[in-house]
Amino acid sequence: MGLFDKFKEVRKKVSEVESNIYHEKRDYLEIYERNLELEKEITQRTKELDDTNRRMFTLQHIWEMMNSSTPLENVLEAVVNSTQGELGYMHCAIIRKYKDEDGDFLRIIAQSNDGLIARLNNMIGAPGIQTRRLNFDPNSVFADTINQRSIIQTKAIDLSLKAILPELSDKTVKEILTDQPIKSVIVVPLITRSKEFGWFCVFSSREELAPAEMDFLSLFSKQIEMAITIADLFQAVREQAVTDSLTGLYNRRYFEESLDKEVQRSQRLKQPFSIIGIDLDFLKKINDTYGHSYGDLAIKTIAEVLKANARSIDIPARMGGEEFNLLLPGISSQGAMAAAERIRKTIENTEIDTIGHITGSLGVATYFEHSENVDELLDLTDQAMYASKRNGRNRVTLAKPASETSWQESAINTFIDILSKNRVPMAKELSEDLCNKLQFQTKEDSSQDILYTVADMLTKLYNPMHESGVVKNKVQMAVSLAKRFDLPKSDVDNLRVAVLLYDIGNLMIPQDLLQKPTPLTEDERERIKNHPLIASQEILKPISYIQDVLPIIEHHHENWDGTGYPYKMSKEDIPLTSQIILIIDEYFALIEPRPYRSKLSSPDALEIIKTDSGKKWNNNLVKEFISLVEHDIF
């Protein structure tokens, strides 16, 4: 092969190599370009996936809040801030439509916290847009979305703004939008339970609304509508749970919860609060004369008076029957008395169809001034209210501090509480009759005489052989005996009340068991032995202002030597006042007839008591008691 041929062969091979290199380079370029496109597509898909995940996360977060006890305003704030922050909108707001005597208007009920709203508020001045009454324009994009039931995107941002704030000048609107990257406003109608609620509005930096974005906003609006519906239903259920169905006032449960919160607030701020108690006069007479429907009308009339005279922070409540309470946060007794008198006059001056005019009896008590115990404060309010009834009705009475309440008042109010609240089983007619005696004693009868009469009548319910006048003798004897031991006045007064009440637990025990003429079985004895605990723990414990009386009653069957009941206490552990009741109760039990024996003479009864000296009673008590009986007449 010649040189030329060799050169041609080498050149051919070089050409082949160059061709192979070119094709391989082109393949590599195609692969590289394809990889670039794949990476770009992966980046785009990743971004779309991230956006979708954020949206799903936002929806899940909102859904979790909706299914908790989170208040609606918090849910809506989370909606707008999540939408603005996580989904890249400039600003988000939820606007609600309202109607009053002046027509339709709008209010912003939730908005994202961002630079745009800060700029807007700075431009328009106080008050900020969220607290303003906004205009509703029937020719605006807002009206169009509601009418069409569809999402609308508009680039006329200035017109949207002026639709709700028509007082803004064109210049101000231009200044607000200058240098703001807002390209459009997207208005989403909100319809809850077929009713127009308002709009979900977003300010976007994009001129066009992509289909996926449209779908998401539609889905998001459904979540908002559901949140509003759930909140409305929850509020309706809550209102039913805390309001009285007849009057629409709060019920006892809500009042007591509010009272507990007010006590905490009052203690923290060292501010008083007051309670006004109101009782409708002559409800029974109204029911008997006109029928229960008119009785309900009278009750509702007082409720309307309370609503009209209560501040937004006050708590008017129906406590039951014809009784109402009004909680006045931050109000002293002077202010509460003025408010109570205004309520009393309004009740008196309100004319009701067929009935005419009604009246109410009111009582006022103030925290810190009258008591720092909330249960006692409620009781003092009731006492003041009952005092208004006793003194002629249709008046306002200010409570006395607990320390100034006489033993007679405490006893009267305790009996009224027991009878009116059915704490013991009793015929309704008798209960009402005894309440009337306690509430409306005549000038000829002292409060003590009424107390003795009521106590005697109650005793006869479980002891038919009881004689009238015995309770009075027991009280006088107990006081005389206590004075021999130099007990302080407070202990003596508590003893007076305890003597009136110590056996009231017997009303909860079957009469045939108490009057059984044959010996009791061990089970029957144990059942009867429960009467001190029944009296103190079941009947009297809810009455706060006689708590100091309860230990006297609870221990009045404890023996000096520890053989008594219910706790087998002994010697000085037993209150002296309880021992006094025990020895007096024993004495009168002996000198009164019983189904299983005749009554004993006083000397015979004293002999029996002497034999138990040092066992049931301490020797000094027996000595003083015998001396008292032998030298005084009862």
Side-chain angles (χ1 to χ4, degrees), residues 243-261:
T243 56
D244 171 62
S245 59
L246 176 64
T247 63
L249 295 178
Y250 293 115
N251 58 20
R252 176 186 290 272
R253 173 187 172 187
Y254 184 83
F255 180 86
E256 291 174 349
E257 290 175 354
S258 300
L259 184 58
D260 289 340
K261 294 177 183 177

Side-chain angles (χ1 to χ4, degrees), residues 229-248:
T229 300
I230 291 173
D232 287 346
L233 293 173
F234 179 79
Q235 180 65 20
V237 172
R238 184 177 183 276
E239 287 177 357
Q240 291 175 3
V242 302
T243 56
D244 171 62
S245 59
L246 176 64
T247 63

Side-chain angles (χ1 to χ4, degrees), residues 138-153:
N139 298 314
S140 66
V141 65
F142 300 101
D144 291 342
T145 58
I146 287 291
N147 294 335
Q148 298 174 22
R149 296 292 198 269
S150 63
I151 298 174
I152 295 179
Q153 181 182 29

Side-chain angles (χ1 to χ4, degrees), residues 454-503:
V454 171
D456 278 329
M457 293 179 72
L458 290 176
T459 304
K460 285 183 179 180
L461 292 178
Y462 59 82
N463 179 13
M465 305 182 77
H466 174 80
E467 297 179 1
S468 297
V470 169
V471 170
K472 180 178 180 179
N473 291 339
K474 286 183 177 181
V475 172
Q476 291 176 343
M477 183 180 287
V479 171
S480 297
L481 193 54
K483 288 180 178 179
R484 293 195 174 205
F485 289 91
D486 296 323
L487 292 183
K489 181 180 182 301
S490 59
D491 285 357
V492 175
D493 286 346
N494 287 336
L495 177 60
R496 295 177 197 263
V497 178
V499 174
L500 296 171
L501 297 166
Y502 72 90
D503 260 352

Side-chain angles (χ1 to χ4, degrees), residues 12-283:
K12 181 180 178 183
K13 289 181 179 180
V14 170
S15 295
E16 290 175 354
V17 170
E18 287 177 345
S19 177
N20 289 335
I21 291 173
Y22 171 78
H23 287 296
E24 288 179 2
K25 181 179 179 181
R26 188 176 61 183
D27 291 342
Y28 279 123
L29 285 173
E30 289 177 355
I31 293 171
Y32 177 73
E33 289 173 353
R34 195 177 304 120
N35 284 341
L36 286 177
E37 291 176 0
L38 286 173
E39 288 178 2
K40 184 177 179 181
E41 185 174 352
I42 289 171
T43 300
Q44 179 64 27
R45 297 293 181 229
T46 301
K47 183 179 181 302
E48 291 175 359
L49 182 60
D50 288 343
D51 289 343
T52 302
N53 285 337
R54 282 202 305 273
R55 291 170 182 174
M56 293 306 297
F57 176 79
T58 301
L59 287 172
Q60 181 181 0
H61 178 59
I62 299 304
W63 178 255
E64 289 173 352
M65 293 183 71
M66 287 164 50
N67 285 277
S68 69
S69 58
T70 305
L72 177 62
E73 58 268 23
N74 291 3
V75 176
L76 298 183
E77 288 290 346
V79 167
V80 294
N81 283 304
S82 296
T83 307
Q84 186 268 339
E86 297 174 14
L87 305 179
Y89 291 116
M90 304 301 299
H91 179 69
C92 298
I94 295 176
I95 303 175
R96 184 168 188 178
K97 184 180 178 183
Y98 293 91
K99 187 180 184 67
D100 62 12
E101 62 275 8
D102 295 325
D104 295 329
F105 67 98
L106 313 178
R107 285 198 189 280
I108 294 176
I109 60 173
Q111 64 181 4
S112 57
N113 187 16
D114 50 58
L116 178 62
I117 200 64
R119 180 187 180 95
L120 174 62
N121 284 333
N122 184 56
M123 290 285 187
I124 66 176
I129 189 170
Q130 190 163 3
T131 58
R132 290 195 180 201
R133 178 189 175 106
L134 304 176
N135 179 63
F136 174 70
D137 184 348
N139 298 314
S140 66
V141 65
F142 300 101
D144 291 342
T145 58
I146 287 291
N147 294 335
Q148 298 174 22
R149 296 292 198 269
S150 63
I151 298 174
I152 295 179
Q153 181 182 29
T154 176
K155 299 175 185 177
I157 305 166
D158 54 343
L159 295 179
S160 301
L161 190 57
K162 288 203 68 172
I164 61 174
L165 290 168
E167 67 273 19
L168 295 183
S169 66
D170 292 339
K171 180 182 178 181
T172 303
V173 172
K174 185 176 181 180
E175 289 177 355
I176 292 171
L177 298 177
T178 297
D179 299 328
Q180 294 297 311
I182 304 172
K183 301 297 184 181
S184 63
V185 178
I186 305 166
V187 184
V188 185
L190 299 175
I191 310 296
T192 59
R193 291 189 287 179
S194 301
K195 295 180 181 179
E196 300 172 0
F197 179 85
W199 302 266
F200 178 43
C201 301
V202 296
F203 290 70
S204 176
S205 59
R206 297 178 290 276
E207 291 185 351
E208 300 299 330
L209 184 60
E213 189 175 5
M214 172 78 80
D215 292 341
F216 174 75
L217 287 174
S218 178
L219 177 61
F220 215 68
S221 68
K222 297 302 179 187
Q223 295 298 309
I224 297 172
E225 291 170 352
M226 188 176 296
I228 294 167
T229 300
I230 291 173
D232 287 346
L233 293 173
F234 179 79
Q235 180 65 20
V237 172
R238 184 177 183 276
E239 287 177 357
Q240 291 175 3
V242 302
T243 56
D244 171 62
S245 59
L246 176 64
T247 63
L249 295 178
Y250 293 115
N251 58 20
R252 176 186 290 272
R253 173 187 172 187
Y254 184 83
F255 180 86
E256 291 174 349
E257 290 175 354
S258 300
L259 184 58
D260 289 340
K261 294 177 183 177
E262 183 57 26
V263 169
Q264 296 174 18
R265 189 200 68 83
S266 182
Q267 291 175 342
R268 185 175 66 256
L269 300 179
K270 303 301 179 186
Q271 288 183 349
F273 66 83
S274 295
I275 299 174
I276 299 175
I278 305 103
D279 188 276
L280 168 64
D281 294 330
F282 301 115
L283 176 61

